């Protein structure tokens, strides 16, 4: 048998949602003090790396490994969710630090459209491969996690390279 029982997966997602919400409630105002919001936003996805690497290397689980594996998944997911919570807060605040708000609506609409199209295309492609090669589900998922692992440094570089648009004074931050 591979993977975890459905109840275990449901509990996992519930716990991770509680972690994210709690971190966001605790740190939302504290993150207003971040001086380099672009750099801080870029590094918030680094905690994803250990989780993604573990998911790639995780093999079919034997009954004797499930409790250790589950504990490791929870710990690595907790670390990831702390970083993702910071990312979510900083991404909300980022536009106010880097762009003239007069352009925010147009930019958000365009990027939202592009991200939506890419997400739908990726979902359809992944679903196609999983349905066509059902016996190779874990291999396909390892490929997806590997692709995600490659995207993390790209995300870091693109985020770090962001520049301010418009004119801002220190009071605007």
């Amino acid at each position: 048998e591979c993977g975890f029982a459905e109840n275990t997966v449901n509990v996992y997602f519930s716990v991770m949602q509680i972690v994210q919400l709690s971190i966001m409630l605790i740190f939302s105002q504290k993150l207003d003090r971040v001086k380099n919001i672009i750099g801080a936003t870029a590094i918030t996805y680094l905690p994803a790396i250990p989780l993604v690497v573990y998911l790639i290397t995780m093999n079919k689980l034997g009954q004797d490994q499930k409790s250790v594996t589950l504990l490791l998944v929870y710990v690595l997911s907790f670390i990831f969710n702390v970083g993702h919570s910071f990312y979510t807060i900083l991404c909300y605040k980022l536009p106010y630090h880097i762009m003239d708000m007069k352009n925010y609506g147009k930019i958000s609409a365009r990027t939202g459209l592009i991200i939506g199209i890419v997400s739908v295309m990726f979902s359809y492609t992944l679903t196609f491969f999983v349905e066509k090669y059902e016996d190779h589900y874990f291999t396909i998922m390892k490929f997806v996690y590997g692709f995600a692992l490659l995207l993390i440094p790209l995300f870091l570089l693109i985020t770090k390279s962001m520049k301010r648009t418009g004119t801002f004074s220190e009071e605007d931050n």
Side-chain angles (χ1 to χ4, degrees):
E1 178 179 317
C2 296
F4 298 106
E6 185 177 343
N7 289 345
T8 303
V9 172
N10 290 336
V11 169
Y12 164 81
F13 283 114
S14 298
V15 169
M16 291 307 126
Q17 289 295 315
I18 291 167
V19 168
Q20 269 195 0
L21 181 60
S22 300
I23 296 296
M24 290 172 73
L25 287 170
I26 293 167
F27 288 97
S28 184
Q29 290 184 332
K30 291 176 171 78
L31 289 175
D32 281 337
R33 296 183 219 136
V34 172
K35 297 289 183 206
N36 181 1
I37 194 163
I38 293 171
T41 303
I43 64 169
T44 56
Y45 248 75
L46 290 178
I49 293 172
L51 177 61
V52 174
V53 168
Y54 183 69
L55 291 173
I56 291 170
T57 60
M58 189 171 68
N59 290 323
K60 292 183 178 184
L61 304 174
Q63 292 296 346
D64 57 330
Q65 298 172 307
K66 282 196 177 180
S67 60
V68 172
T69 301
L70 183 61
L71 178 63
L72 244 148
V73 167
Y74 267 93
V75 169
L76 294 173
S77 295
F78 177 85
I79 293 166
F80 164 74
N81 276 285
V82 169
H84 191 265
S85 299
F86 290 163
Y87 168 78
T88 302
I89 295 166
L90 292 171
C91 276
Y92 173 78
K93 297 171 187 268
L94 185 64
Y96 297 99
H97 291 264
I98 65 168
M99 71 174 62
D100 187 339
M101 285 290 101
K102 291 185 287 189
N103 300 323
Y104 182 70
K106 283 190 283 188
I107 293 169
S108 290
R110 289 176 185 155
T111 56
L113 179 64
I114 292 167
I115 291 168
I117 290 169
V118 170
S119 294
V120 168
M121 288 172 40
F122 180 79
S123 295
Y124 279 123
T125 303
L126 181 59
T127 302
F128 169 79
F129 280 107
V130 166
E131 287 175 356
K132 185 163 177 69
Y133 305 104
E134 192 174 319
D135 294 343
H136 301 287
Y137 174 80
F138 286 102
T139 303
I140 293 168
M141 292 312 297
K142 286 181 182 193
F143 174 77
V144 170
Y145 291 136
F147 182 66
L149 191 60
L150 293 174
L151 290 178
I152 293 170
L154 180 63
F155 165 80
L156 181 77
L157 291 171
I158 290 171
T159 304
K160 294 278 287 175
S161 70
M162 281 195 291
K163 304 286 183 238
R164 291 173 168 230
T165 61
T167 55
F168 297 88
S169 65
E170 285 302 312
E171 292 83 41
D172 290 334
N173 290 327

